[in-house]
Amino acid sequence: MSTSTKSGPSAVSLLREDAATAVEHAVFSNLLGSVFLPRFVRRLLLRAGGAHVLSGPGHGFSVTGGAHNLTIGRGVFINKSVSIESVAPVTIGDGSALGMRVSIMTSHHDIDSAGRWDPVASGRPVVIGERVWIGGGSMILPGAHIEDDVIVAAGAVVRGRLESHGVYAGVPARRIRDYTGEVDAQA
């Protein structure tokens, strides 16, 4: 009579997973974010990893979860120390700008009715439209959708959908006023 027990991943499969993570980190965090690499080289490295990029990010940039899930449009400015976790697709539209230390996250852990979290993450895509400005230190949470022509104030935490032509601030980010795209004459 045989007894079968369900076991977790083997030591070999865990070792392979750890090695793949180490290579990903070395290339897409340490090397990609180096101050010694020009933006066009960063763009080439991202393309080699399967990303669809038309603009190169600044130094200190890191991407985890899979470069193949990343799309960066034309004329996008990505300041230093921006971190993107692309377990699910992340799209940044043309003419957008991300300030220093912006974090974009796509992995989510479901919580059941008893309050237990699922240790296996699921991905929720993030979409950032065209001509979006995201202030420094902002966090973009899994599943966020920022429509075109939006300003996100520094330090905001974005979840859900931010509708076009608005300025958003706070935790969570809320629309604080309309934005027409015109520069205010206040000084």
Side-chain angles (χ1 to χ4, degrees):
M1 183 171 187
S2 73
T3 58
S4 73
T5 59
K6 188 171 181 174
S7 62
S10 71
V12 171
S13 67
L14 290 173
L15 185 59
R16 283 187 186 131
E17 182 180 324
D18 288 345
T21 300
V23 168
E24 174 189 309
H25 181 76
V27 172
F28 293 111
S29 290
N30 294 342
L31 179 60
L32 187 67
S34 171
V35 296
F36 298 108
L37 282 182
R39 286 180 192 265
F40 81 92
V41 175
R42 289 190 194 103
R43 188 174 59 236
L44 292 175
L45 276 173
L46 284 167
R47 283 184 181 167
H52 308 283
V53 290
L54 299 174
S55 303
H59 67 272
F61 179 82
S62 69
V63 61
T64 59
H68 65 280
N69 281 325
L70 181 60
T71 301
I72 301 173
R74 187 173 311 284
V76 173
F77 176 76
I78 299 177
N79 210 325
K80 60 186 173 183
S81 301
V82 169
S83 177
I84 299 176
E85 181 221 27
S86 57
V87 170
V90 172
T91 303
I92 303 170
D94 294 347
S96 291
L98 280 64
M100 291 187 291
R101 297 181 328 279
V102 167
S103 295
I104 300 173
M105 296 163 269
T106 59
S107 66
H108 172 78
H109 295 270
D110 289 320
I111 298 174
D112 67 18
S113 60
R116 293 179 302 254
W117 66 282
D118 187 343
V120 177
S122 59
R124 293 185 177 173
V126 167
V127 175
I128 298 170
E130 295 183 1
R131 298 169 306 280
V132 171
W133 185 86
I134 300 175
S138 294
M139 296 178 71
I140 314 302
L141 299 181
H145 185 127
I146 304 172
E147 295 180 0
D148 297 345
D149 301 304
V150 166
I151 294 173
V152 176
V157 176
V158 176
R159 64 183 178 109
R161 181 177 289 269
L162 304 187
E163 295 180 357
S164 289
H165 305 289
V167 176
Y168 293 80
V171 179
R174 298 194 193 294
R175 190 180 189 111
I176 59 170
R177 70 179 175 99
D178 291 341
Y179 169 67
T180 62
E182 301 288 323
V183 176
D184 289 340
Q186 301 171 355

